[in-house]
Structure formats: structure tokens, C-alpha cells
Amino acid sequence: MNLILILTFIMIIISNTFMMISFFISKKSFLDREKCSPFECGFDPKSLARIPFSLHFFLITVIFLIFDVEIVLILPMIPMFLMINFISWFKINFFFIIILLVGLYHEWNQNMLNWVN
């Protein structure tokens, strides 16, 4: 138990030492106007807050995030091929891919994938 406490204490000291060293040798400017603003996205917060917003761009972003999550769900299916029965693996993957294709067809049918109207 004492060994764990000593190692934890040593790790805390080493990490704090490196954080202090990086803080002192960094060339960070605290007077940068963009970094001092509440939004670091390129918008000027002192101007009119009601700027035009592209809803279509937002929907494309949401679709991109949905397909990113789908890729994360598909990747673990590859190692599962060796761990479970082939018929079960095929049914699960077939069902998942059908759901993705139905969603893609619905987005295509609603013209969500067309960038220019």
C-alpha cells in the first residue's frame, strides 16, 4: 500500500514539474485579441449577433456525425467475426447494414445530400 502511495506521489510531482516547465518556457501571448474573445470561431462577438446561418450546412454536419458514429459501431464487428457463430455474426451485420442503407435512402429521398438546391 505504501508503494502505491509513493508512486502516486512521484507521478504527481513529475507531472506538475513538467507542467510548470512548459508554462515558463512557452511563448504564449496573452494579449491576442482572438484568444481573449469569448468565441474562437472567427466571429466578431461585438458585431450583430443575428447573422445569417445556413441550416443546410448544419444538417450536413449532423449527417457527417451520424456516419462517424456508424463507422465506430462497424469497426468492432471485424474482431467479433472470430468470437461468435458465423450465422449470428451475419444476421447482426446484415440487420445493421440494412438499417444504415434505409437511413441513407431516406436522406437521399429527402434531398439532404444535395449541397446546392
Side-chain angles (χ1 to χ4, degrees), residues 20 43-44 50-51 54 57 69 71 83-84 102 105 116:
M20 291 300 233
F43 296 112
D44 187 15
R50 298 286 181 183
I51 59 173
S54 173
F57 181 73
V69 170
I71 293 297
M83 296 180 189
I84 63 173
V102 167
Y105 175 74
V116 180

Side-chain angles (χ1 to χ4, degrees), residues 7-8 12-14 17 20 22 28 35 43 49 59 66 70 85 90 94 111 114:
L7 289 176
T8 305
I12 290 172
I13 289 175
I14 290 173
T17 303
M20 291 300 233
S22 68
K28 189 184 239 184
K35 291 289 183 182
F43 296 112
L59 292 175
I66 289 171
E70 291 167 356
N85 179 342
F90 183 76
F94 184 74
N111 289 330
N114 292 336

